[in-house]
Structures are given as C-alpha cells and as structure tokens.
C-alpha cells in the first residue's frame, strides 16, 4: 500500500477506507492516542490505538520522537480540533526513541536551547512552519523571475574580487598553514596557490550579474554569500543567501518599481499558500508579547504586518528629505534617537522604523544617498555628492533591500575606484564591460534570511536558516 501524507489525509472525506501513514510521534496520550506528524503540514494526525489489539512491549516503545508506520481506517474524528483520525489496525516501529535521552520532550523550549539542537528543531511546530515558509519564499523567487523572462545566473562562490570593498572575507587556499611559500619580503606567494592568486568566499554575486545583464538583458543570482564579520547580533550570519537581480536599460526608477513589486509578490505568495503556518507563527508572537510592556511589543501582529506591506504603495523619498523629516520629528527634538541624524551619515534602524511606522505608515524607499558611505559601483548623480542608490524599508526590521543604478560611464567609475582605493587590475574585466557596449543598468540585493525573518516574524536570524554559521559556531 502506498503511504498517504498527513496533509492529504486531513483534507480527505472519511469513509472507513484503509490508509498507511508514517511519521514521528509528538505524544502518545493515555496510551490510546498517538499524535503523529510527518512534516507535510503544521497540523498533526490523531491515531486511535485499541490497547488490547497490540503487543504491550511494542506500545511501550512508542515514545515522543519515535518513528512509526500505521495502517488503519480513516474515520470522522469524535474529538475537537480535527476532522479525521486513523483507527490503527497495524503499527510498525520504524525507529525507537529513548525517552530518557531524547532532547525534544513535549514542553516549551527556549530558542537558545533549540539552536543547540538544530538537527532536531525542525520537528517542532515553530521551526517546521519557519522552514516550510523558507521553502515557499525560495520557490516564489524563482517563479517570479522565471515568469518575467529573467535568466538564473550562477555566480561563483570563490572569487578574486571584493564587490563591497569591506575586506571582511573568508580566504580560500590550498596552501598548508605552516608551509606556505614566501616572497623575499616575507609575504605569502599566492602565485603558488591553487588558483595562482589570492581568493576568497564571495560576499556578493552582483559584479558577475552585471556581466550577465549586459549580455542577456535580465538576470538574477540566488546563492550563498559569506561575510567574515565578527558580529554576534540577532541580525548577522557568516553564511547567508542573497538574491540579486540585474537588469540592462533600467535606471533607478525602474529599479524601485521592481523592488516593490518583487517584495509584494513574495509576501502575497506566502499569505495565499501557507495560511496555517502563518497563523501558528502569528499566535506564537501574540502569546510571547502578551505580558510585555506596551513599548516592547511589535506595532502590529504578524499577518497584519504582512498586509501592511502588500496593501500599501511604498512611499518614495530622497535621503535629504529623510534627514529633514527626522530632524523635524518629535523623537529628534526630544533627544530620543540613540544615533545622530546628520546629512552624510547613514540612517540607522531606529530612523528607518520611524519613517515607516510613524511618519508615513507604509513601507518606504529612500534614494539618492551621499556617496561617502556607498559602494564604488553606484552611479554618480549630477550634484556630484549623491549616488543613485536606494534602500527599501519595512516595519519592525528596517532595510530589507539595498540597490542602485550602476555606474556605466568608464571615466566616472575609474574616478570612484581611485577615491575608494579599489584596484583596477583586480577588476579589469568589470571595467571592460564599460569599454565595449556599456549601457545603463540597475539592480539590488535582497538578503534571503532577512526576508524570511520578516515574513515569519522570528526575532533572530539564526532561527530562519537550518544550520546557522556565526562566530565560534559551525556545528552540524
């Protein structure tokens, strides 16, 4: 007999038909009701066991965490909370679980504890919901771009260039740590390394995506990126995934249009297709915040927050307008902002959230930032002080997307590279894109985990990637 998945059985009209179901035991209540889950749904299936029909030694081995196969009849449920249940006629123990050792007993566990049990945490309701939604967003990303004629470009993970100029990169080498060949000055001779030069794990696929866009028109990358930033905050990972569309003949306005449409599509896809998982996560947040002081609670519930994004047109302002708004705000005048509000300084999360949650009460796109804290590849505006950059700001989280129109003019690009000490010889191929058929183009980067964090309402980015990589942590 073929196995039926629980999500399918829960939607099936019961008619005493014989079914086979397999899954992991959440609980075995009163030695009569096995609560079973197979990962196909946030909802569990109740299996009714007649104690007299089964071997007592078998039933004693059915503990929380055990894996079983159950054959039985699908019946209308006599209890509340589910429409159907399975009345067991056969039970096979596929994998035992020692009740004295199994870590995920049926009780509340802290997020910190569950991070230490990352190999099991997907068995909990919260994390199974999170990772189903992570899958949904990944699928929606590919569907969105495919349906609009974009080509998926696989950018290299190993690179010889630093797209962001930050220098916080993981080195890739085949040289032995204590036997590396040296130059006369004592420095490492990278010419003897595997690639013949110093290489690192990538921080972005953008530069390669630009090559794709200036050949194929519309491309996007979606892959792992790495940052060797020694930060242990709830917003940082050493290994994370990035989505980076790049489009030829786009300028900053079309780039903003794309970013807004893309964000709304992803959120709507989850709202439409994963309502049960969202409802569970929404309820979880409400329970967590019930006893919190009002000023510590989120401004809206999870589903309300998602609707806040998709039901509003994004406000669009310049960085200069943002600074003026912030300096005229009550929080600024009363000294409530922790960070300074000055033209030429980057906006902090508290500033971004004020613009979104208090001033405009809708998502905001800020554009035309000062060149001083933006990357070398962003197109210089006519004022020679700002660049055609943009950030998309959401409630509760601040920036979710950063992008720009790219500098397509060779002379301006060379000037910016010199100002920012970016070496021409490392990016000779990138410069040649401006020498042979250059064209206006634009794109942006969306941190995948940041979007998953926003849509699931989780508070720590380590809880939206299956096996997080952070400073001093590389388990699993």
């Amino acid at each position: 007999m073929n196995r039926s998945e629980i999500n399918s059985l829960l939607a099936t009209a019961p008619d005493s038909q014989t079914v086979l179901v397999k899954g992991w035991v959440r609980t075995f209540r009163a030695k009569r009701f096995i609560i079973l889950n197979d990962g196909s749904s946030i909802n569990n299936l109740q299996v009714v066991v007649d104690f007299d029909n089964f071997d007592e030694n078998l039933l004693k081995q059915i503990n929380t965490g055990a894996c079983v196969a159950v054959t039985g009849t699908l019946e209308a449920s006599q209890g509340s909370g589910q429409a159907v249940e399975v009345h067991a006629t056969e039970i096979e123990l596929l994998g035992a679980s020692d009740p004295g050792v199994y870590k995920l007993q049926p009780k509340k566990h802290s997020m910190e504890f569950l991070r230490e049990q990352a190999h099991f945490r997907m068995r909990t309701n919260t994390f199974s919901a999170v990772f189903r939604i992570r899958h949904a967003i990944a699928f929606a990303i590919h569907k969105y771009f495919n349906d609009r004629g974009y080509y998926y470009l696989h950018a290299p993970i190993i690179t010889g260039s630093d797209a962001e100029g930050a220098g916080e990169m993981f080195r890739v080498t085949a040289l032995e740590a204590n036997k590396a060949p040296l130059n006369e000055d004592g420095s490492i001779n990278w010419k003897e390394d595997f690639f013949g030069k110093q290489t690192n794990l990538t921080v972005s696929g953008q530069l390669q995506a630009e090559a794709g866009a200036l050949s194929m028109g519309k491309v996007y990358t979606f892959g792992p990126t790495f940052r060797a930033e020694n930060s242990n905050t709830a917003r940082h990972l050493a290994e994370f995934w990035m989505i980076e569309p790049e489009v030829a003949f786009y300028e900053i306005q079309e780039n903003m249009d794309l970013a807004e449409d893309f964000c709304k599509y992803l959120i709507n896809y989850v709202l439409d297709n994963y309502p049960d998982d969202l409802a569970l996560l929404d309820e979880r947040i409400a329970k967590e915040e019930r006893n919190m002081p009002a000023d510590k609670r989120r401004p809206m519930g999870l589903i309300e927050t998602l609707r806040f994004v998709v039901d509003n047109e994004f406000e669009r302002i310049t960085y200069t307008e943002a600074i003026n708004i912030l300096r005229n705000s009550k929080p600024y005048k009363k000294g409530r902002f922790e960070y300074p509000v000055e033209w030429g300084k980057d906006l902090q999360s508290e500033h971004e959230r004020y613009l979104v949650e208090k001033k405009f009460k809708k998502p905001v796109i800020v554009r035309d930032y000062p060149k001083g804290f933006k990357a070398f590849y962003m197109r210089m505006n006519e004022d020679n002080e700002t660049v055609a950059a943009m950030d998309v700001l959401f409630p509760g989280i601040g920036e979710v997307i950063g992008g720009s129109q790219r500098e397509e003019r060779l002379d301006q690009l060379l000037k910016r590279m010199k100002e920012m000490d970016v070496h021409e010889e490392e990016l000779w191929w990138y410069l040649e894109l401006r020498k042979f058929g250059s064209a206006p183009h634009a794109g942006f980067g969306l941190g995948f985990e940041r979007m998953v964090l926003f849509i699931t309402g989780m508070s720590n980015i380590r809880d939206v990637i299956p096996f997080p990589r952070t400073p001093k942590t590389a388990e699993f």
Side-chain angles (χ1 to χ4, degrees):
M1 179 182 298
N2 292 329
R3 176 177 75 94
S4 297
E5 293 187 344
I6 286 176
N7 65 339
S8 174
L9 288 181
L10 293 175
T12 300
D15 190 25
S16 297
Q17 61 268 50
T18 300
V19 297
L20 170 64
V21 63
K22 300 177 182 181
W24 293 272
V25 176
R26 291 290 174 86
T27 60
F28 191 5
R29 294 187 289 109
K31 292 300 179 183
R32 176 167 171 78
F33 303 104
I34 297 175
I35 307 304
L36 204 63
N37 191 283
D38 65 359
S40 64
S41 169
I42 195 67
N43 299 305
N44 302 317
L45 177 69
Q46 178 168 280
V47 176
V48 181
V49 179
D50 186 338
F51 193 91
D52 293 333
N53 292 339
F54 294 94
D55 180 71
E56 184 177 353
N57 290 328
L58 170 66
L59 297 182
K60 285 181 178 180
Q61 296 180 72
I62 301 176
N63 301 302
T64 296
C67 187
V68 297
V70 177
T71 302
T73 58
L74 189 66
E75 310 287 354
S77 178
Q78 301 303 307
S80 61
Q82 66 277 321
V84 299
E85 60 191 19
V86 170
H87 290 198
T89 56
E90 297 178 27
I91 300 176
E92 179 185 358
L93 182 67
L94 300 179
S97 176
D98 187 333
V101 178
Y102 185 56
K103 307 291 179 64
L104 299 188
Q105 294 302 318
K107 63 179 182 178
K108 183 176 176 60
H109 297 284
S110 70
M111 291 292 108
E112 290 79 7
F113 172 81
L114 290 172
R115 284 179 212 127
E116 296 171 358
Q117 310 298 325
H119 54 314
F120 284 136
R121 65 177 178 169
M122 283 176 272
R123 295 188 185 182
T124 67
N125 284 340
T126 295
F127 283 98
S128 64
V130 166
F131 292 119
R132 269 190 294 272
I133 289 174
R134 181 183 171 103
H135 154 80
I137 301 169
F139 175 81
I141 287 164
H142 288 298
K143 180 171 173 55
Y144 178 88
F145 287 122
N146 181 74
D147 291 353
R148 288 156 181 77
Y150 286 70
Y151 299 105
Y152 180 26
L153 187 73
H154 293 92
I157 292 175
I158 300 173
T159 179
S161 59
D162 181 358
E164 300 299 325
E168 298 165 333
M169 303 180 76
F170 289 103
R171 183 175 297 165
V172 175
T173 180
L175 298 176
E176 294 186 48
N178 298 320
K179 299 179 181 179
L182 304 177
N183 296 310
E184 290 183 1
D185 63 0
S187 61
I188 295 175
N189 181 4
W190 295 110
K191 292 181 180 180
E192 296 297 320
D193 204 354
F194 185 90
F195 292 106
K197 62 182 298 186
Q198 186 172 341
T199 54
N200 308 283
L201 295 179
T202 185
V203 299
S204 169
Q206 179 206 310
L207 303 187
Q208 290 83 5
E210 288 189 52
L214 292 174
S215 301
M216 302 176 72
K218 297 189 294 187
V219 303
Y220 72 103
T221 71
F222 183 7
T225 52
F226 308 84
R227 187 68 61 87
E229 184 177 0
N230 190 18
S231 177
N232 258 312
T233 76
R235 292 290 184 268
H236 289 88
L237 290 167
E239 175 185 283
F240 52 99
W241 288 66
M242 287 286 290
I243 304 99
E244 296 175 288
E246 200 72 31
V247 190
F249 316 117
Y250 263 28
E251 298 186 4
I252 190 67
Q253 187 64 45
E254 292 113 327
N255 205 31
M256 292 190 291
D257 292 343
L258 175 64
E260 179 172 347
D261 189 62
F262 180 53
C263 287
K264 288 182 175 181
Y265 180 90
L266 298 183
I267 295 170
N268 271 321
Y269 185 86
V270 178
L271 283 168
D272 291 344
N273 292 281
Y274 289 79
D276 289 347
D277 292 301
L278 284 177
L280 180 137
L281 294 171
D282 197 5
E283 182 182 358
R284 171 186 169 273
I285 291 169
K287 286 180 179 178
E288 275 191 349
E289 298 188 350
R290 192 167 293 157
N291 298 319
M292 287 184 181
D295 62 339
K296 299 294 184 183
R297 298 175 195 163
R298 302 173 196 232
M300 295 171 278
L302 176 58
I303 294 174
E304 185 184 0
T305 301
L306 300 181
R307 295 245 62 100
F308 175 91
V309 173
V310 299
D311 292 342
N312 285 294
E313 295 298 315
F314 292 11
E315 187 72 27
R316 301 184 184 189
I317 60 174
T318 66
Y319 167 87
T320 300
E321 290 170 335
I323 292 295
N324 291 335
I325 290 168
L326 291 166
R327 289 179 69 86
N328 285 305
S329 69
K330 286 184 180 179
Y332 177 80
K333 291 179 178 179
K334 293 185 177 182
R336 292 177 182 166
F337 286 137
E338 180 181 355
Y339 295 93
V341 179
E342 298 176 16
W343 201 98
K345 292 186 179 294
D346 203 357
L347 300 178
Q348 301 298 317
S349 179
E350 61 177 346
H351 308 141
E352 296 168 341
R353 292 187 60 184
Y354 173 82
L355 295 171
V356 173
E357 298 166 22
K358 302 297 184 183
K359 174 62 179 177
F360 294 108
K361 294 181 171 56
K362 61 174 68 174
V364 176
I365 303 179
V366 180
R367 60 173 286 185
D368 297 337
Y369 282 84
K371 65 180 182 181
F373 57 81
K374 288 297 184 179
F376 72 92
Y377 50 73
M378 297 183 175
R379 194 181 200 276
M380 184 69 64
N381 289 326
E382 291 184 2
D383 60 13
N384 205 39
E385 293 294 332
T386 63
V387 290
M390 63 151 202
D391 287 345
V392 179
L393 313 180
F394 275 10
I397 198 170
E399 180 195 339
V400 292
I401 279 178
S404 72
Q405 184 176 340
R406 315 310 189 187
E407 184 56 82
E408 86 279 12
R409 300 164 296 183
L410 180 61
D411 58 340
Q412 290 288 340
L413 182 59
L414 287 169
K415 181 180 178 182
R416 286 290 288 150
M417 290 173 70
K418 185 175 182 181
E419 288 175 0
M420 302 187 72
D421 196 30
V422 178
H423 302 300
E424 294 179 29
E425 60 272 17
E426 291 184 4
L427 291 174
W428 62 270
W429 59 271
Y430 187 72
L431 293 171
E432 286 198 349
L433 294 173
R434 275 69 178 170
K435 295 178 182 178
F436 304 99
S438 186
H441 58 290
F444 60 77
L446 168 64
F448 182 51
E449 282 75 23
R450 181 154 288 210
M451 180 57 82
V452 180
L453 192 73
F454 177 76
I455 293 178
T456 61
M458 300 298 283
S459 58
N460 193 311
I461 203 163
R462 302 175 195 203
D463 297 329
V464 298
I465 189 169
F467 305 104
R469 299 293 182 252
T470 57
K472 310 300 182 186
T473 303
E475 292 291 338
F476 313 104

